Structure formats: structure tokens, C-alpha cells
Amino acid sequence: MKIVTVVGARPQFIKAAVVSRWLRQTPDCKEILVHTGQHYDENMSDVFFQELEIPTPAYHLGVGSGGHGAQTGRMLEAIEEVLRETKPDKMLIYGDTNSTLAGALAAAKLHVPVAHVEAGLRSFNRKMPEEINRVVSDHLSTWLFAPTEAAVTNLQNEGITGAKVALVGDVMYDAAIYYGTRTRADTLGKLGLQSKHYVLATIHRAENTDAQTRLRDVFGGLNAIADELPVVLPLHPRTRAALTRDNLLERCNPNLRLLDPLGYLDMVMLEKHASVIATDSGGVQKEAFFHRVPCVTLRDETEWVELVELGWNRLVPPTDAGAIHAGVLQSLRDTKQRPAPAHLYGGGQAAIQ
């Protein structure tokens, strides 16, 4: 059996690392890894392949950044050529990026069955490009691997039911378990940080970086938090460009530590030892829970609703700097016991299924 796997962004590299490891151990299975180049910065791409021991992609499409239509179109054209050349039995896609959508469209048009890992997630906000990508990809897929019961329910509500849908758990939890013991002990020391004495932040979504008022409110809130506790922020290239555009870099509090993008292992260490994580990333929300660290999500909604219901995640729309400051401080001071059901994201065996 020949499988083409399409990846292009940090969360997909993490998911593919654990699934590809099992595929390589499966007799009569050949995986052809295709990297679209959606994330092309060395710190956003190459380091993940090295740390997570992902094989060198058979195809690197080098698409790079660009508007949604142009980027997705270039990916679609290039992936179609790969499929015509390799003639796979199946395609494997992950998550909700433009790489996901392009892979699903190319395969569907050439009648290659699609398997979607992390299917069924919904924010119910069609203004998010990720929401469009995941909905279209789900409806084009032959097999839908859902990480949570809520995801299964979302698919059922859209008429996707039966044997096509499998509740398997979350492969990012598999990765957290497998790679959790490989983290670097010197990460905090190199950055001059003390365990549980800093806030970790990540900001990258277009809805926050492209809107000047939201970006100012987010960084106004983070600057205020940094008056009381160091804030560590690995900067996505899009975020750095937006801060430069709006002349906000020079206004950052000295206690707001701006870093270059980090590899997976260093990021896990920072997540594990943070007091609170403030993020607009879907993957980081889950990783916070995996390491039992409270999270504040700087968005209007989240796909991971179960974490909000359990109290591990707090939604704070990034439209007021004071509200962001208050939301993070409330999470810092909240000492109540939060339930952490072991079955929530599977037992660390999602990749096998």
C-alpha cells in the first residue's frame, strides 16, 4: 500500500512524527512524505524534522507564504503533479491548514481516497480560514479520525456518520508522551528563567496579527502582565512582521522576552514549567493541558471546548488589553482543583489506530 502524506506547518510535523513512525513499521506500507513549504523558516520547519526524527520528505514543494488563494492554488497544482507521478492508494492529511485543504482537493479530483487526522473540529466561525479548510477537508475525506467525542458529534450534525468516522484520540498527546522524556534540561537556564515564575505566550493567528487594534490590545495586555511576571514570547514570523509594521516592537516591556521560533523540545520545556500559557494556537491549548498548565486563549472561540468546560482553559477575546491582563492574572491566582480525565484525548495510542 502506497500512502502520500501532506504536511506543511508546525502542528502537522508533530502529528506526522508519531503516525509516520508507525507507518514505517507496517509491512507492505510505503509512505511518501510531501512537504508543501507552508512553514519554510528553519526554526519553523527543519528543526522539527531533526528533533522528531521525521524522514526527509520525498517531495519539498517550496510554496512558501502568500495570500490564501495564491498559496493554496500553488500547492494544489504541485500536489496534483506528485499524485500523478506516484499513483498512491491513499492520501493522509492533518489538521486545518492550507496544506490540508490543497491535499484534500488534489486527491479528491484524482479519485484518491483521503484520510483526515484531527477531523470534526469546529469553531463555528466561518471568518477563520482554518474553519473553511477543515469543513471542506472533512466532506472530501473517506476516513475521518476524530480526536474527541465533540468532534464526532460535529461530524454527525453535518451528516458524516457510520464507519467513515473513528474516535481515536489525539496524536499530539501521543507525541507529548513519546517525546516528553527527551526535552532539554538546560532550556530554562539558558533563558534565565525559573520554573513556575513566568508566563509563556504565543500569538500567530491572522485574526490577531492582521487587525491593528487587536494586535495592540494583545501586546498591551502582555506588556501589563510583564510588569508583574516575566512573559516569554517565541515570535512567529507573521507576528514579528506585524509588530514591525505597527511600530510596536520598540514599545515592548523589557520583561516581555521576545524569542525566535523554538523547536518542539525547547517549546515543551517552556510549556511544562510555565505558570500560565496565553495563546491563540489550537495545538498549544492542548499541550498546556497535557502538561497540566492553565491556559488563557486569546480568541473569540475555541475548537477545544472540553478544556473550557473543565476549567483548564479560559477564553478571553483579545479586544481589550485590560481584560487580557485580568484574565491571565485570574488564571495565575486560581488554585481550585480542575478535573483531568485520563481518557479525554485517548490513551496515547491514537497513531496506532
Side-chain angles (χ1 to χ4, degrees):
M1 179 173 60
K2 191 186 298 184
I3 299 173
V4 163
T5 295
V6 175
V7 296
R10 172 194 183 273
Q12 295 168 326
F13 306 148
I14 298 168
K15 296 163 193 166
V18 289
V19 177
S20 293
R21 190 172 69 250
W22 284 106
L23 291 177
R24 293 196 299 274
Q25 298 173 22
T26 302
D28 302 320
C29 179
K30 178 183 179 182
E31 183 185 34
I32 301 168
L33 191 62
V34 178
H35 186 342
T36 65
Q38 182 171 339
H39 279 177
Y40 51 88
D41 182 277
E42 180 179 353
N43 290 333
M44 298 287 287
S45 177
D46 295 357
V47 67
F48 285 86
F49 282 78
Q50 296 161 10
E51 291 183 347
L52 304 181
E53 300 172 337
I54 307 171
T56 301
Y59 295 85
H60 196 301
L61 306 182
V63 170
S65 59
H68 290 291
Q71 185 185 61
T72 306
R74 291 197 299 271
M75 290 177 185
L76 178 58
E77 180 180 16
I79 293 170
E80 183 179 82
E81 290 183 13
V82 171
L83 295 180
R84 291 189 185 280
E85 180 179 325
T86 58
K87 296 179 174 57
D89 300 296
K90 300 175 182 177
M91 171 175 283
L92 184 58
I93 57 174
Y94 295 90
D96 56 17
T97 70
N98 287 343
S99 299
T100 310
L101 176 63
L105 285 169
K109 288 177 178 292
L110 293 178
H111 311 294
V112 177
V114 177
H116 187 193
V117 175
E118 202 178 81
L121 296 185
R122 297 292 182 268
S123 68
F124 303 102
N125 178 3
R126 290 294 180 94
K127 292 182 179 180
M128 288 177 56
E130 295 88 351
E131 184 79 351
I132 303 300
N133 293 345
R134 60 173 72 109
V135 170
V136 174
S137 297
D138 281 344
H139 283 267
L140 292 176
S141 294
T142 304
W143 302 281
L144 298 100
F145 299 111
T148 64
E149 293 178 0
V152 172
T153 299
N154 291 336
L155 293 171
Q156 291 173 343
N157 290 340
E158 295 176 15
I160 305 175
T161 59
K164 294 180 65 171
V165 179
L167 175 61
V168 297
D170 196 312
V171 293
M172 288 191 75
Y173 184 45
D174 295 26
I177 294 172
Y178 184 81
Y179 295 103
T181 58
R182 304 185 179 197
T183 51
R184 299 188 177 94
D186 62 344
T187 301
L188 297 188
K190 287 191 300 184
L191 295 173
L193 298 171
Q194 294 183 355
S195 180
K196 301 304 176 182
H197 287 281
Y198 63 90
V199 172
L200 175 64
T202 75
I203 303 295
H204 79 282
R205 286 192 181 271
E207 64 199 70
N208 287 336
T209 60
D210 294 356
Q212 291 185 350
T213 55
R214 289 172 78 100
L215 187 68
R216 288 195 179 100
D217 283 324
V218 167
F219 277 84
L222 294 178
N223 280 325
I225 296 161
D227 281 334
E228 305 180 45
L229 196 67
V231 177
V232 181
L233 174 60
L235 271 185
H236 190 287
R238 175 195 290 144
T239 311
R240 184 177 289 277
L243 292 173
T244 302
R245 175 199 69 205
D246 294 344
N247 299 313
L248 294 176
L249 275 177
E250 60 270 23
R251 303 181 199 173
C252 286
N253 189 314
N255 266 347
L256 176 55
R257 302 275 302 279
L258 303 180
L259 309 178
D260 288 332
L262 297 174
Y264 180 71
L265 300 182
D266 282 334
M267 190 65 180
V268 167
M269 278 298 289
L270 289 183
E271 289 170 344
K272 281 184 174 183
H273 292 276
S275 301
V276 171
I277 295 174
T279 186
D280 60 7
S281 162
V284 173
Q285 291 175 51
K286 289 182 298 176
E287 289 169 343
F289 173 75
F290 298 158
H291 306 307
R292 302 301 187 259
V293 176
C295 182
V296 175
T297 294
L298 303 177
R299 287 174 51 194
D300 300 307
E301 67 283 305
T302 179
E303 302 78 19
W304 305 103
V305 293
E306 58 278 353
L307 296 179
V308 176
E309 294 167 356
L310 291 170
W312 284 99
N313 195 355
R314 183 190 303 267
L315 269 180
V316 178
T319 55
D320 180 86
I324 293 170
H325 177 228
V328 172
L329 290 186
Q330 287 170 12
S331 290
L332 278 168
R333 295 165 181 163
D334 189 352
T335 58
K336 68 182 179 184
Q337 291 293 316
R338 303 174 179 88
H343 67 279
L344 188 59
Y345 293 115
Q349 300 294 313
I352 303 174
Q353 302 184 53

